[in-house]
Amino acid sequence: MVLNLLLVFYEAMKSSGKAWPVISEVVQERCLKRISARVRFIEGLTPQQQAQAISDAIADHPEQQLLAYVRGKFGEHGLLGIESETEKMLMLAALNLVECIAEAAPKSTQ
């Protein structure tokens, strides 16, 4: 499933017509740290606070459509509950793809 996401993201980036930089390991690591920090932040919150924090993070994210696509695919496969380490790693990989794309996205010059 994550490979499918990667292919969809690649095609979206390619069809944007913009020149995309190579996403380095440094960028990947920085993005993964950002995701991990968000997860640690919400772990101590009540379920209602968690839902609000997640909603706020999505609303403020520069790649909302990619996040929605990831959520939809994980929902289709019944993986939103993250009940195992494997599911956790899949989710982290998918979210890291989105985060890296958001960070590397060519800025528009208007």
Side-chain angles (χ1 to χ4, degrees):
M1 180 184 58
V2 175
L3 179 58
N4 177 53
L5 291 172
L6 179 61
L7 294 172
V8 168
F9 296 165
Y10 172 77
E11 284 299 319
M13 292 166 68
K14 190 169 103 176
S15 66
S16 75
K18 297 179 180 179
W20 288 80
V22 172
I23 298 173
S24 69
E25 288 182 35
V26 172
V27 170
Q28 291 177 46
E29 187 65 31
R30 184 172 47 242
C31 291
L32 189 56
K33 285 180 182 178
R34 192 177 309 133
I35 293 165
S36 296
R38 286 184 192 135
V39 169
R40 282 192 304 276
F41 171 74
I42 67 168
E43 282 179 336
L45 302 176
T46 66
Q48 187 176 24
Q49 291 170 323
Q50 285 180 0
Q52 184 62 50
I54 291 168
S55 177
D56 291 347
I58 292 170
D60 294 338
H61 200 277
E63 291 295 341
Q64 292 177 357
Q65 292 177 334
L66 292 182
L67 279 176
Y69 186 74
V70 167
R71 187 187 187 290
K73 286 297 176 185
F74 272 77
E76 283 177 21
H77 294 279
L79 298 172
L80 287 175
I82 306 178
E83 298 176 4
S84 70
E85 282 299 309
T86 302
E87 292 173 359
K88 177 180 166 184
M89 297 312 289
L90 286 172
M91 180 63 83
L92 283 174
L95 291 175
N96 202 37
L97 286 171
V98 173
E99 204 64 30
C100 288
I101 290 169
E103 184 163 320
K107 309 301 181 233
S108 45
T109 54
Q110 297 179 3

